[in-house]
Amino acid sequence: MTPTDSAPLPRPTREEAEDAVRTLLRWAGEDPRREGLHDTPARVVRSYEEFFCGYAEDPVDLLTRTFSEVEDYDEMVLLRDIRFESHCEHHMVPIIGVAHVAYLPRKRVVGISKLARVVDAYARRFQIQERMTAQIANTINEVLQPRGVGVVIEASHQCMTTRGVHRPGVSMVTSRMLGTFRSNSDTRREFLSILNRPGVTGGV
């Protein structure tokens, strides 16, 4: 049986999570009993509840309420510069960036805030950027069933800017094009030109 096929592990208690933080503080060379660190384990656990609240969100549910009274609007819907904060699953450090999400509706549209919430639902988990890009695009495509979906994500990864190769100022760009965005070069070009990202031509 592979790890992905096994039953979910039981969630630790808050006390167990705080003890784990104390262990990491000791591993780093600190004394978790000293005054400045006394409340740190509780603060870290509370921050994790916020950082990873995406596990409690169902992105599909966020897109289920749509609107059909759009006067046959069938042009591109694009929400640019959706800021997000995520965490690298390999080093547990922040990934900070922006997502650009577009789709070509058939007959129905979704409230634009829902697009941002879908981004957050996937971002507020342990992630790799390539998977997150695909998850956002695939979910919008499966639920809304539009003529096409385009997602571009640009992000800075602190696993390479503050450690390892130490390359500040470097950003990673990923894209996922589905439907018309993949098959029609004019649609893809329009999307990328609005973003002023002519160098992004394909999809993850």
Side-chain angles (χ1 to χ4, degrees):
M1 181 178 290
T2 64
T4 54
D5 295 331
S6 60
L9 292 172
R11 187 173 184 175
T13 64
R14 182 176 293 270
E15 291 75 18
E16 289 172 328
E18 291 181 9
D19 282 342
V21 177
R22 293 185 186 95
T23 298
L24 288 174
L25 288 170
R26 289 168 51 210
W27 170 256
E30 267 290 358
D31 181 355
R33 298 171 297 181
R34 73 174 176 86
E35 182 180 6
L37 294 174
H38 185 267
D39 294 326
T40 295
R43 293 191 187 101
V44 170
V45 170
R46 287 197 299 272
S47 71
Y48 263 45
E49 288 177 326
E50 183 176 346
F51 291 155
F52 304 110
C53 64
Y55 287 112
E57 292 251 40
D58 184 347
V60 171
D61 284 347
L62 295 173
L63 296 173
T64 53
R65 184 181 180 187
T66 59
F67 306 93
S68 59
E69 296 178 358
V70 294
E71 299 294 333
D72 295 323
Y73 181 86
D74 61 359
E75 297 297 325
M76 188 182 302
V77 177
L78 168 61
L79 193 61
R80 299 192 311 180
D81 300 318
I82 308 167
R83 188 183 187 278
F84 70 85
E85 299 161 3
S86 190
H87 282 76
C88 165
E89 68 178 34
H90 299 144
H91 299 95
M92 299 172 66
V93 295
I95 302 170
I96 298 175
V98 293
H100 316 288
V101 178
Y103 70 99
L104 280 166
R106 290 189 188 273
K107 295 181 179 180
R108 305 182 70 84
V109 298
V110 69
I112 58 172
S113 67
K114 300 301 191 293
L115 298 177
R117 289 186 63 185
V118 168
V119 172
D120 272 346
Y122 283 119
R124 291 186 176 274
R125 307 177 183 196
F126 285 110
Q127 278 291 10
I128 62 171
Q129 185 174 326
E130 296 92 337
R131 181 177 65 219
M132 178 178 157
T133 307
Q135 286 173 329
I136 294 168
N138 292 344
T139 299
I140 293 170
N141 191 56
E142 290 165 9
V143 179
L144 299 185
Q145 297 185 351
R147 290 183 291 134
V149 179
V151 175
V152 173
I153 292 181
E154 306 171 82
S156 174
H157 294 241
Q158 291 194 18
C159 57
M160 72 171 292
T161 62
T162 62
R163 60 160 299 282
V165 295
H166 287 278
R167 291 293 184 270
V170 174
S171 63
M172 179 176 175
V173 181
T174 51
S175 66
R176 178 76 156 182
M177 307 292 174
L178 300 174
T180 305
F181 284 82
R182 178 179 287 272
S183 62
N184 189 312
S185 59
D186 289 338
T187 301
R188 184 166 61 251
R189 191 177 302 113
E190 177 187 359
F191 172 43
L192 298 173
S193 67
I194 294 173
L195 300 181
N196 193 24
R197 307 295 192 277
V200 181
T201 56
V204 173

